[in-house]
Amino acid sequence: MALVIEKDVLEPTVTDRRNLVGLGREELGRALAGLGLPAFRARQVWHWIYHHGVRDFDTMTTLAKPVRALLAEHFTIARPAIAAEQNSVDGTRKWLLRYADGKEAETVFIPEEDRGALCVSAQVGCTLNCAFCHTGTQAWVRNLDAAEIVGQLLIARDSCGEWPSPQDVRLLSNIVMMGMGEPLYNYDNVAKALGIIVDREGIAISRRRITLSTAGVVPMIRRVGAELGVKLAISLHAVTDELRDVLVPLNRRYPIAELLAACRDYPGASNARRITFEYVMLKGINDSPADAHALVRLLDGIPAKVNLIPFNPWPGAPYECSTGAAIARFAAIVNDAGYSAPVRTPRGRDILAACGQLKSASERERKTRPA
Ligand code: SAH
């Protein structure tokens, strides 16, 4: 049985004080300079917020008391509210976060033996409407800003008890931008948030441990390599444009050949830093041996690995997950061609782990609740 914790504190506090979370280093410096504080104060505050994870100014003991009071008068260090939290028997933890305007997004922590990845959302809802994705059935709402993206990490770090930032061994060691939304349709906020997350005097998660997943916004892919330097994952899911047009409608704008050309040019791709191709296994749709052979041909010349994702069903979904035998057969063909093709183990099945499900469940409950 999964443990479901519905939180009492549902509404985030609304205040006109400015949130320091989500400001870049220079912006933080300017904000504090506006109160007449010197640059080294900004550096101290940054360290308290992102290295020590403090939530209020009073804990910043390297600052004189009047300085702490001045900061508290003008600023906050705000996290999103936790609307719901679920813990799976397999250790997966999922939070539904509620932001200041009441909008909600999900964050999932997936621990493994020697590391753990946080799956971070980039948007509330999504504009892509991929046919098999539950988020695609929900209304598009808005981009998350940098504070709201970084806030997901702060909540997960609080939960893991990993403050101050551990030097070496960490529970929360990796980040995957694979939550709700399309990160490359919210590039500026994602880039800003990642800049804060990788900063060595703060959260300090290195770019090598961050993977950004995209459905294939081709013109932005080069920028990811050149400016962000993170690892790239591509949600491919089909080997013909005909099928990919249906599964990932963005394909109509950026078809497979263009997408793979951008991958061939991706700065920094090498055998050591391969591009991950995600491929959801849909029964009778994209899981035949012929599909597997076609996939291998498509990837020729790209330093690639393939991540086979058993379809995670949701109520009313128009697809089913491939059989274990079909997945094994598919994986063997890709493996024999020299590509690593791990099958992603479904995690947190008992807590509706498919992207978007916790949000839907919470909305259904609210609609049925008397006003
Ligand atoms: N928009 C980005 C990131 C969000 S989705 C992207 O498309 O890559 C993260 C991954 O989960 C994508 O590969 C997506 O196709 C996959 N996914 C979405 N719904 C799924 C489901 N029900 N079962 C299995 N994988 C799913």
Side-chain angles (χ1 to χ4, degrees):
M1 267 297 283
L3 182 64
V4 182
I5 306 162
E6 281 285 340
K7 296 281 172 176
D8 292 333
V9 189
L10 287 181
E11 301 316 322
T13 21
V14 178
T15 159
D16 52 10
R17 287 176 295 158
R18 187 174 183 197
N19 189 7
L20 292 184
V21 174
L23 302 189
R25 256 183 189 278
E26 284 172 13
E27 245 179 320
L28 181 72
R30 282 197 298 275
L32 267 56
L35 297 182
L37 295 172
F40 78 93
R41 288 291 180 214
R43 192 167 170 174
Q44 287 176 316
V45 168
W46 180 277
H47 201 250
W48 280 113
I49 295 177
Y50 296 118
H51 178 74
H52 290 287
V54 303
R55 293 149 169 271
D56 59 69
F57 295 101
D58 223 29
T59 357
M60 300 186 174
T61 47
T62 53
L63 274 59
K65 282 206 169 138
V67 176
R68 293 184 227 166
L70 180 69
L71 289 169
E73 204 181 303
H74 292 87
F75 301 118
T76 63
I77 307 164
R79 283 146 163 72
I82 301 174
E85 178 178 336
Q86 295 183 315
N87 296 310
S88 162
V89 285
D90 69 12
T92 303
R93 270 174 251 173
K94 183 161 181 164
W95 297 272
L96 181 68
L97 301 181
R98 188 168 299 162
Y99 295 110
D101 63 354
K103 303 298 179 223
E104 295 172 338
E106 298 177 358
T107 304
V108 186
F109 177 62
I110 305 154
E112 281 169 39
E113 225 156 71
D114 53 349
R115 61 195 200 139
L118 186 70
C119 182
V120 171
S121 292
Q123 300 179 315
V124 180
C126 188
T127 56
L128 297 179
N129 298 318
C130 297
F132 55 89
C133 176
H134 194 49
T135 304
T137 65
Q138 299 171 8
W140 155 249
V141 182
R142 65 172 176 84
N143 282 332
L144 293 177
D145 67 20
E148 293 169 330
I149 296 169
V150 173
Q152 298 174 52
L153 209 81
L154 299 181
I155 294 283
R157 269 268 182 100
D158 292 346
S159 163
C160 293
E162 293 203 309
W163 300 116
S165 292
Q167 291 309 302
D168 27 55
V169 185
R170 296 172 172 189
L171 284 173
L172 200 176
S173 57
N174 291 55
I175 292 178
V176 290
M177 294 289 315
M178 290 185 189
M180 305 175 82
E182 169 51 51
L184 297 191
Y185 276 162
N186 186 18
Y187 183 86
D188 290 345
N189 289 318
V190 167
K192 191 173 174 195
L194 292 180
I196 293 168
I197 288 165
V198 301
D199 188 285
R200 283 162 180 258
E201 288 175 40
I203 295 168
I205 293 180
S206 95
R207 293 176 195 275
R208 285 175 292 114
R209 292 181 176 274
I210 300 176
T211 302
L212 184 147
S213 177
T214 177
V217 186
V218 167
M220 302 304 290
I221 288 178
R222 175 173 287 277
R223 283 185 74 187
V224 175
E227 296 171 12
L228 305 185
V230 297
K231 292 206 279 189
L232 184 65
I234 302 285
S235 295
L236 190 64
H237 304 318
V239 293
T240 63
D241 283 324
E242 196 188 0
L243 178 60
R244 198 164 187 271
D245 280 350
V246 176
L247 296 182
V248 184
L250 182 66
N251 194 68
R252 295 175 206 157
R253 195 172 311 166
Y254 307 114
I256 293 175
E258 279 180 37
L259 177 57
L260 295 182
C263 292
R264 287 199 171 81
D265 291 346
Y266 187 70
S270 65
N271 270 336
R273 299 192 69 194
R274 282 177 233 167
I275 297 175
T276 301
F277 288 86
E278 296 160 275
Y279 196 95
V280 64
M281 299 301 298
L282 303 172
K283 189 180 194 169
I285 303 286
N286 64 354
D287 61 352
S288 72
D291 290 320
H293 288 294
L295 176 61
V296 167
R297 282 195 299 276
L298 281 179
L299 297 183
D300 189 38
I302 303 176
K305 58 184 171 192
V306 176
N307 206 334
L308 299 175
I309 315 175
F311 173 62
N312 213 333
W314 37 273
Y319 301 104
E320 281 175 73
C321 184
S322 305
T323 62
I327 297 176
R329 201 171 50 201
F330 196 102
I333 293 168
V334 180
N335 265 316
D336 287 351
Y339 296 100
S340 147
V343 179
R344 194 184 289 171
T345 325
R347 298 290 301 266
R349 281 236 152 144
D350 53 338
I351 57 167
L352 307 170
C355 172
Q357 286 202 22
L358 181 56
K359 182 161 187 286
S360 279
S362 152
E363 277 165 10
R364 266 197 308 278
E365 208 223 317
R366 237 177 305 150
K367 277 180 196 147
T368 54
R369 215 185 277 160

